[in-house]
Amino acid sequence: MKRARGARDAFYPVECAGPEGGWRSRVHEVIFGIDTPAGRAFDIALVAAILLSILVVILDSVPSIGSAYAGVLYGLEWFFTVLFTVEYVARLLTVRRPLRYALSFYGVIDLLSVMPTYVSLLVPGSEALLDIRILRLLRVFRIFKLTLYIEEYTRLAEALAASRRKIMVFLSVVLMAVLILGTVMYVVEGPEHGYTSIPVAMYWAIVTMTTVGYGDITPHTPLGKAIASFMMLLGWGILAVPTGIVTAEMTARRVDRRHGTRSVLACEECGSGGHDPGARFCKDCGAALPAPLAQD
Amino acid sequence: MKRARGARDAFYPVECAGPEGGWRSRVHEVIFGIDTPAGRAFDIALVAAILLSILVVILDSVPSIGSAYAGVLYGLEWFFTVLFTVEYVARLLTVRRPLRYALSFYGVIDLLSVMPTYVSLLVPGSEALLDIRILRLLRVFRIFKLTLYIEEYTRLAEALAASRRKIMVFLSVVLMAVLILGTVMYVVEGPEHGYTSIPVAMYWAIVTMTTVGYGDITPHTPLGKAIASFMMLLGWGILAVPTGIVTAEMTARRVDRRHGTRSVLACEECGSGGHDPGARFCKDCGAALPAPLAQD
Amino acid sequence: MKRARGARDAFYPVECAGPEGGWRSRVHEVIFGIDTPAGRAFDIALVAAILLSILVVILDSVPSIGSAYAGVLYGLEWFFTVLFTVEYVARLLTVRRPLRYALSFYGVIDLLSVMPTYVSLLVPGSEALLDIRILRLLRVFRIFKLTLYIEEYTRLAEALAASRRKIMVFLSVVLMAVLILGTVMYVVEGPEHGYTSIPVAMYWAIVTMTTVGYGDITPHTPLGKAIASFMMLLGWGILAVPTGIVTAEMTARRVDRRHGTRSVLACEECGSGGHDPGARFCKDCGAALPAPLAQD
Amino acid sequence: MKRARGARDAFYPVECAGPEGGWRSRVHEVIFGIDTPAGRAFDIALVAAILLSILVVILDSVPSIGSAYAGVLYGLEWFFTVLFTVEYVARLLTVRRPLRYALSFYGVIDLLSVMPTYVSLLVPGSEALLDIRILRLLRVFRIFKLTLYIEEYTRLAEALAASRRKIMVFLSVVLMAVLILGTVMYVVEGPEHGYTSIPVAMYWAIVTMTTVGYGDITPHTPLGKAIASFMMLLGWGILAVPTGIVTAEMTARRVDRRHGTRSVLACEECGSGGHDPGARFCKDCGAALPAPLAQD
């Protein structure tokens, strides 16, 4: 796994605090460094500890396991908390600007990972059920730190960031459809059929257009079923139409070449002429030209 | 956000009524213009007002909020109605051909946005529930006006318009499958299993082929389940087969190069030869040529 | 709509029976010809009649409409039956080889379209419910004749035929997964949780992997839910992985160019070197080369 | 169907045991060879036997068929078991290193295919129901051997292997979302609404994000519905956004050319210039260049 150095500089202000060779520098090298065997071993151990601590949280939430092994799980929970606290303190001690690290994205996650168990000590028995569930949530965020380490993740994130404008446009069209068609269904079906308010109808519209289709709310009137059918074809069609059309076109062209049913000089897709001798792809739209020209 | 001037000319006949410099011209500039700070500020305020008025409608539909805050919401509803009425009148007054604007697509939407609240005054208590629900629907259409302002939407609309023929063909094949397979299921399963008529069976067929799968109607007979399985594989396969095949081919080619199992000069996809020295993509079908030619 | 002459010759043996100018020739021209105004008008009228007759069948299946308008619908059903019978006889009379036409694909459909109503006369009251439902089914097949007329449909059919081998391979992998994972779930969950036999478990597996998800059968054991989760990720992943990966790669490359974080001469995808000066796409795999070479 | 010789060498160590011409060599040729008519006939018969034996297992699991035809099915089951045992022994006898074959992937499958019926003899009546179900499972694995024979399958497998890294990254992002959002819903909705533990919530998250949507667990709180809506749009959007965006862009470019709204020399996608005269696709990102250059 290649280390993503770019992302670390941006998100993770971790210049060393102490002079070269001092204890700070050696600890810093182990915790933040990737070039020494100790540094790499530390990373692997840290990833393992993060995954195991998450597993403890998950197992603890299952009623049968949580009650049968309560003691063991509680002990493991404290073990990991202490471990991550020591690591957190070590990071703060070996970094030049501890405050800046503590306020960075991953610094906050590090702190939130260890806080819950301490908080549960301070608030001993009050609303135990709710507290415990919320605190478990915070510990799960430790897993965000893992993505720091791998290049493909940062590339994927950059790809998403680059396309964000088109994504926004696309999603806003979908949300407008959800709002308008959801309101239509609210009027057509009404609360007596489950569509108790416009937000609920919008929730149903999303369930339907994303083709999830729980079935907790379904249309009962004929008009409602017709509108719902339109919405389903829309949500599914947004997936099917582009892929099906693109692929069908590519294959159809290949078929037509073999059957020799194509005319020669005009691009079928956009109608333009004047292509280079020997040109095979249309200069105007990139589609394959329908037939080879005689002189190639 | 780039203004989509093309769309506005087509949909939105808004030449100024008065002479340059007159009060009409100044108001026209603010409402329709985008080149002055006042014009841009007006647009932003209008978008905000549209979104807030929609939020009022949504909140009003939720029973708990609608009854608790009835007075506030009613007041806000009138506030927005008056606001949009003033804006509508201002548009009519500052445009050269008010009648033409009033009959244009966005002119009609503007009118429908303000009418419901006035209508609810005239029809005070009769069928209050139904009226209010239908009237709320009309107000939600204000949101259509927002898309006027952004270029990507008009480009998306143009892209859809350009592909409309292929979309029609594709959708008609899907609808024929829905009609025929729905009728088959109506015969095979019958009303005692939920398939009460051919239209209902077609609704179920759409729910199944678009992979929504509410579960409000499900097949019970073995033959019905078999036909339903075929339909599900069809609806999902229309998505999976093109994408999976295209990508598997692209990757397979790369793999074959590394293993040296490809011959050199003929395009694998369509079999044609005679490619230019250094050509990398097949002139005939655009697929990647299987191997580099010696001389490049 | 361009007429698909190729398909008609293959599927539809319709040479004229009589000499040029005779009554047979003129009727043949109207029914089968597309070059005269009469011929085109006939086609449009025929399409309309087919669609209307299907609508009669659909409406008749709805209990409320079928009973209220029984007389009208019965009359219309006979009207269309007589109309299509006359058309069928006219085709047989004006074609050179009537037997060959009667046995061709569309000849059989023509016959099946008119037979049911006559059959319902011969079998007057026995099992009326079942007969009527099956007979309605046969009439819906008239719609197949419509696709004869449009070029895009034949192109789509040819594209599918050309890809049939890859489609077979793909579908067989999916069916093997359904068989094996369905059997696993049958063993893990068992009849007491709804998985009453291997065929039923395979039906559930198809419902799950195609992401339809009716919910009529759901896993109850933890292991069953885990296996089901794997199957859902598989069925959805077959759609998501190719599209997401292809698009993420295309965008990521663009981003990397702008940041100048790429090295120069090796193709990132497949690792090969030795590209032409000025080459932009890898000769080996068609992927974009990571950076422009200095000398272009 | 082209034989996939590469895969067989890797997975299937089958060098002949005896000298050329001996009985071992002739049997080896029939069982493993594909070049003689006998060899090919053997393969076809083997595939048919495998499929029929699986059908016996499937039919036996259906309660009505399994009890009605218990005797016939039991007899057929023994017939196939003996057949496959003879084949297995023949393979062991004619292969140079029988132990190596017995330990190879397909060797183990061959053994597992025949063992269950013998095991059911040894464990006559104990826990008959569970045993029988598990044993049937093992017999279904015979079908894996079929893919050995066809080239397309090995190519598909190689394509998947080549992309495994991207698939891992993609799936791990999805699993992290499932873990985090599942835990959030566990906290927000809680056991009283069906989310009884974090694993169950994660199962629900997978059901939702893969758009399967059984409906066995659904959100009840407004916040839960909102988070669920976000997850549904995420799971569906991962499919819709790439395909929709790519296709919309391709079509939009074509439209823009016709309207002459594009400038000439810079690539629209990535902004680079300096393209070769006559270049049609951008050297930097492979997107179609917006307009033909004057000199081509």
Side-chain angles (χ1 to χ4, degrees):
Chain A
M1 304 187 300
K2 262 182 75 180
R3 188 57 59 89
R5 255 156 287 176
R8 282 179 66 219
D9 300 330
F11 264 137
Y12 211 26
V14 292
E15 306 85 6
C16 182
E20 282 289 328
W23 71 270
R24 275 205 165 101
S25 172
R26 282 198 303 273
V27 174
H28 184 275
E29 183 57 41
V30 169
I31 296 182
F32 296 102
I34 55 171
D35 305 312
T36 67
R40 283 190 292 272
F42 175 83
D43 283 340
I44 293 171
L46 183 65
V47 167
I50 290 175
L51 292 175
L52 284 170
S53 68
I54 289 171
L55 186 63
V56 166
V57 175
I58 291 176
L59 291 176
D60 196 24
S61 76
V62 181
S64 49
I65 301 180
S67 30
Y69 296 90
V72 175
L73 291 171
Y74 192 66
L76 279 169
E77 184 57 45
W78 269 108
F79 168 71
F80 285 116
T81 304
V82 166
L83 195 75
F84 291 129
T85 312
V86 166
E87 181 223 350
Y88 183 66
V89 166
R91 287 181 189 263
L92 288 180
L93 287 180
T94 59
V95 140
R96 191 180 297 279
R97 311 225 293 257
L99 194 66
R100 192 174 163 214
Y101 174 75
L103 295 177
S104 73
F105 179 62
Y106 285 106
V108 168
I109 284 184
D110 286 345
L111 184 62
L112 288 179
S113 302
V114 296
M115 255 186 45
T117 333
Y118 296 117
V119 169
S120 76
L121 277 183
L122 301 170
V123 195
S126 53
E127 289 293 335
L129 216 65
L130 189 64
D131 287 12
I132 290 172
R133 288 197 338 236
I134 292 178
L135 295 178
R136 285 179 186 149
L137 177 61
L138 294 171
R139 289 176 217 146
V140 160
F141 276 93
R142 282 176 189 149
I143 206 165
F144 273 142
K145 284 188 63 176
L146 289 177
T147 63
L148 180 69
Y149 292 95
I150 300 170
E151 180 184 354
E152 272 91 344
Y153 288 110
T154 45
R155 281 187 54 181
L156 185 60
E158 285 174 357
L160 283 173
S163 308
R164 66 186 174 283
R165 202 162 155 180
K166 295 186 188 73
I167 295 176
M168 290 275 107
V169 168
F170 182 76
L171 281 185
S172 60
V173 172
V174 172
L175 287 176
M176 276 195 285
V178 160
L179 172 64
I180 292 173
L181 293 165
T183 307
V184 170
M185 287 299 283
Y186 165 71
V187 170
V188 166
E189 292 272 333
E192 63 271 20
H193 288 134
Y195 296 77
T196 51
S197 66
I198 293 184
V200 166
M202 287 172 65
Y203 159 78
W204 169 86
I206 291 179
V207 168
T208 296
M209 282 187 64
T210 55
T211 75
V212 168
Y214 286 132
D216 51 351
I217 307 171
T218 54
H220 288 85
T221 64
L223 178 60
K225 288 180 180 177
I227 298 170
S229 300
F230 167 72
M231 293 170 69
M232 292 183 240
L233 285 168
L234 192 63
W236 174 80
I238 288 178
L239 300 178
V241 166
T243 55
I245 285 181
V246 167
T247 313
E249 257 189 74
M250 280 177 52
T251 332
R253 249 191 216 106
R254 222 182 300 150
V255 169
D256 286 334
R257 320 276 339 256
R258 292 187 190 147
H259 292 178
T261 56
R262 291 272 186 174
S263 65
V264 175
L265 282 171
C267 170
E268 274 219 312
E269 271 306 310
C270 63
S272 69
H275 298 101
D276 277 1
R280 297 290 166 259
F281 286 92
C282 175
K283 294 171 293 182
D284 287 310
C285 65
L289 286 179
L293 299 173
Q295 61 266 43
D296 70 327
Chain B
M1 302 187 300
K2 264 182 72 182
R3 188 57 58 89
R5 254 155 288 173
R8 281 178 68 221
D9 299 329
F11 264 138
Y12 211 23
V14 291
E15 306 85 7
C16 182
E20 284 288 330
W23 71 270
R24 275 207 165 99
S25 171
R26 283 198 302 273
V27 174
H28 184 276
E29 184 56 42
V30 169
I31 296 182
F32 298 101
I34 55 170
D35 305 312
T36 68
R40 284 190 292 271
F42 176 84
D43 284 340
I44 293 172
L46 183 64
V47 167
I50 290 175
L51 292 174
L52 283 171
S53 69
I54 289 170
L55 186 64
V56 166
V57 174
I58 291 176
L59 291 176
D60 196 24
S61 76
V62 181
S64 49
I65 301 180
S67 31
Y69 296 89
V72 176
L73 291 171
Y74 192 65
L76 280 169
E77 184 58 45
W78 270 108
F79 168 71
F80 286 115
T81 304
V82 167
L83 195 74
F84 292 130
T85 311
V86 166
E87 182 223 351
Y88 182 67
V89 167
R91 287 181 190 262
L92 288 180
L93 287 181
T94 58
V95 140
R96 190 180 298 279
R97 307 223 297 254
L99 194 66
R100 192 173 163 215
Y101 174 76
L103 296 176
S104 74
F105 179 63
Y106 284 106
V108 168
I109 283 184
D110 286 346
L111 184 62
L112 288 180
S113 302
V114 295
M115 253 186 48
T117 333
Y118 296 117
V119 167
S120 75
L121 278 184
L122 301 170
V123 195
S126 53
E127 290 294 332
L129 217 65
L130 190 65
D131 288 14
I132 289 172
R133 287 198 338 238
I134 292 177
L135 295 177
R136 284 178 186 151
L137 178 60
L138 294 171
R139 287 176 218 146
V140 158
F141 276 93
R142 280 176 190 152
I143 207 165
F144 273 143
K145 284 187 64 177
L146 288 176
T147 64
L148 179 68
Y149 291 96
I150 301 171
E151 182 184 353
E152 272 92 344
Y153 288 110
T154 45
R155 282 185 56 179
L156 185 59
E158 287 174 356
L160 284 174
S163 307
R164 64 187 174 283
R165 202 161 154 180
K166 295 187 189 71
I167 294 176
M168 290 276 107
V169 168
F170 182 77
L171 281 185
S172 60
V173 172
V174 172
L175 287 176
M176 276 195 285
V178 161
L179 172 64
I180 291 173
L181 292 166
T183 307
V184 170
M185 287 300 282
Y186 165 71
V187 171
V188 166
E189 292 273 333
E192 63 271 22
H193 288 135
Y195 297 77
T196 51
S197 66
I198 293 185
V200 165
M202 288 172 64
Y203 160 77
W204 169 86
I206 292 179
V207 168
T208 295
M209 282 187 64
T210 56
T211 76
V212 170
Y214 285 132
D216 51 351
I217 306 170
T218 53
H220 287 84
T221 64
L223 178 59
K225 288 179 180 178
I227 298 169
S229 301
F230 167 73
M231 294 170 68
M232 292 182 240
L233 286 169
L234 193 62
W236 174 80
I238 288 178
L239 300 179
V241 165
T243 55
I245 285 180
V246 167
T247 312
E249 259 190 70
M250 281 177 53
T251 330
R253 240 182 230 114
R254 221 182 299 150
V255 169
D256 285 333
R257 319 286 324 271
R258 292 189 190 148
H259 292 177
T261 56
R262 292 272 186 175
S263 62
V264 175
L265 283 171
C267 172
E268 275 217 314
E269 270 307 308
C270 61
S272 68
H275 298 103
D276 288 343
R280 302 164 206 107
F281 287 91
C282 174
K283 294 174 290 184
D284 289 308
C285 65
L289 284 178
L293 299 172
Q295 62 266 40
D296 67 335
Chain C
M1 300 189 301
K2 264 181 73 180
R3 187 58 58 89
R5 254 155 289 173
R8 282 178 67 222
D9 301 327
F11 265 137
Y12 210 25
V14 293
E15 307 85 8
C16 182
E20 283 288 328
W23 70 269
R24 274 208 166 100
S25 171
R26 284 198 303 273
V27 173
H28 184 276
E29 184 57 42
V30 169
I31 296 183
F32 296 102
I34 55 171
D35 306 312
T36 67
R40 283 191 292 272
F42 176 82
D43 283 339
I44 294 173
L46 182 64
V47 167
I50 291 175
L51 292 174
L52 284 171
S53 69
I54 289 171
L55 186 63
V56 166
V57 174
I58 291 177
L59 290 177
D60 195 25
S61 76
V62 181
S64 49
I65 301 180
S67 30
Y69 297 89
V72 175
L73 290 172
Y74 193 66
L76 281 168
E77 185 58 45
W78 270 108
F79 169 72
F80 285 116
T81 304
V82 167
L83 194 76
F84 292 130
T85 311
V86 166
E87 182 222 353
Y88 183 65
V89 166
R91 288 182 190 260
L92 287 178
L93 286 181
T94 59
V95 139
R96 189 179 299 279
R97 309 226 293 257
L99 193 65
R100 191 172 165 216
Y101 173 77
L103 294 176
S104 74
F105 179 63
Y106 284 107
V108 167
I109 283 184
D110 286 346
L111 184 62
L112 287 179
S113 302
V114 296
M115 253 186 49
T117 333
Y118 297 115
V119 168
S120 76
L121 278 182
L122 301 169
V123 195
S126 55
E127 289 294 332
L129 216 66
L130 190 64
D131 288 12
I132 289 172
R133 288 199 337 237
I134 292 177
L135 296 177
R136 285 177 185 150
L137 178 60
L138 294 171
R139 288 176 218 145
V140 159
F141 276 92
R142 283 175 189 152
I143 207 165
F144 273 142
K145 284 188 62 176
L146 289 177
T147 64
L148 180 68
Y149 291 96
I150 300 171
E151 181 184 353
E152 270 92 344
Y153 288 110
T154 46
R155 281 186 56 177
L156 185 59
E158 286 173 357
L160 283 174
S163 307
R164 65 187 173 284
R165 200 160 155 183
K166 295 188 189 70
I167 293 176
M168 290 277 106
V169 168
F170 182 77
L171 281 184
S172 61
V173 172
V174 172
L175 287 175
M176 275 195 284
V178 161
L179 172 64
I180 292 173
L181 292 166
T183 307
V184 171
M185 287 300 282
Y186 165 71
V187 170
V188 166
E189 291 273 334
E192 63 271 22
H193 288 135
Y195 297 77
T196 51
S197 65
I198 293 184
V200 166
M202 288 172 64
Y203 160 78
W204 169 86
I206 292 179
V207 168
T208 295
M209 284 188 61
T210 56
T211 75
V212 170
Y214 286 132
D216 51 350
I217 307 170
T218 54
H220 288 84
T221 64
L223 178 60
K225 289 179 179 178
I227 297 169
S229 301
F230 167 72
M231 293 170 69
M232 292 183 239
L233 286 169
L234 193 63
W236 174 79
I238 287 178
L239 300 178
V241 165
T243 55
I245 285 180
V246 168
T247 313
E249 258 190 72
M250 280 178 53
T251 331
R253 243 183 227 112
R254 220 184 300 148
V255 169
D256 286 334
R257 321 272 342 255
R258 291 190 191 145
H259 291 177
T261 55
R262 292 275 186 174
S263 63
V264 176
L265 283 170
C267 172
E268 276 218 313
E269 269 310 308
C270 63
S272 68
H275 299 100
D276 276 359
R280 296 293 165 253
F281 287 93
C282 176
K283 294 171 290 182
D284 287 311
C285 66
L289 285 179
L293 298 172
Q295 60 268 40
D296 69 326
Chain D
M1 303 187 302
K2 263 182 74 181
R3 188 56 59 88
R5 254 155 289 172
R8 282 178 67 221
D9 301 329
F11 266 136
Y12 211 24
V14 294
E15 307 85 7
C16 182
E20 282 289 326
W23 70 271
R24 274 206 167 103
S25 172
R26 282 199 303 274
V27 174
H28 184 277
E29 183 57 41
V30 169
I31 295 183
F32 295 103
I34 56 172
D35 306 311
T36 69
R40 284 191 291 271
F42 176 83
D43 284 340
I44 293 172
L46 183 65
V47 167
I50 290 175
L51 291 174
L52 285 171
S53 68
I54 289 171
L55 186 64
V56 166
V57 174
I58 291 176
L59 290 177
D60 195 25
S61 77
V62 181
S64 48
I65 301 179
S67 29
Y69 296 91
V72 176
L73 290 172
Y74 193 65
L76 281 169
E77 184 59 45
W78 270 107
F79 169 72
F80 285 117
T81 303
V82 166
L83 195 76
F84 291 129
T85 310
V86 167
E87 182 222 351
Y88 182 66
V89 166
R91 287 181 189 260
L92 286 180
L93 286 180
T94 59
V95 139
R96 190 178 298 279
R97 310 227 292 257
L99 193 66
R100 192 171 162 216
Y101 173 75
L103 295 177
S104 73
F105 180 62
Y106 284 106
V108 167
I109 284 184
D110 287 344
L111 184 62
L112 288 180
S113 302
V114 297
M115 254 186 47
T117 331
Y118 295 117
V119 169
S120 76
L121 277 183
L122 299 169
V123 195
S126 55
E127 290 292 334
L129 217 65
L130 189 65
D131 287 13
I132 289 172
R133 289 197 340 236
I134 292 177
L135 296 177
R136 285 179 186 148
L137 177 61
L138 294 171
R139 288 177 218 144
V140 159
F141 275 92
R142 282 176 190 151
I143 207 165
F144 272 142
K145 285 187 62 177
L146 289 177
T147 64
L148 180 68
Y149 291 97
I150 300 170
E151 181 184 352
E152 267 90 7
Y153 288 110
T154 45
R155 281 186 57 177
L156 185 60
E158 286 174 357
L160 283 174
S163 307
R164 66 187 174 283
R165 201 161 156 183
K166 294 186 189 71
I167 294 175
M168 289 276 105
V169 168
F170 181 76
L171 282 184
S172 60
V173 172
V174 172
L175 288 175
M176 277 195 285
V178 161
L179 172 63
I180 292 173
L181 292 166
T183 307
V184 171
M185 286 301 280
Y186 166 70
V187 171
V188 167
E189 291 273 334
E192 62 271 20
H193 288 134
Y195 297 78
T196 51
S197 66
I198 292 184
V200 166
M202 287 172 65
Y203 160 78
W204 169 86
I206 292 179
V207 168
T208 296
M209 284 187 64
T210 55
T211 74
V212 169
Y214 286 134
D216 52 350
I217 307 171
T218 53
H220 287 84
T221 63
L223 178 60
K225 288 180 179 178
I227 298 170
S229 301
F230 167 72
M231 293 170 68
M232 292 183 240
L233 286 169
L234 192 63
W236 174 79
I238 288 178
L239 301 179
V241 165
T243 55
I245 285 180
V246 167
T247 313
E249 258 188 72
M250 281 177 51
T251 332
R253 236 177 234 117
R254 223 183 297 150
V255 169
D256 285 334
R257 320 278 335 259
R258 292 185 189 150
H259 292 178
T261 56
R262 292 273 184 174
S263 64
V264 174
L265 282 171
C267 171
E268 274 220 312
E269 269 308 309
C270 62
S272 67
H275 299 101
D276 289 343
R280 300 163 206 108
F281 286 93
C282 175
K283 294 172 291 179
D284 288 309
C285 66
L289 284 180
L293 299 173
Q295 61 267 42
D296 66 336

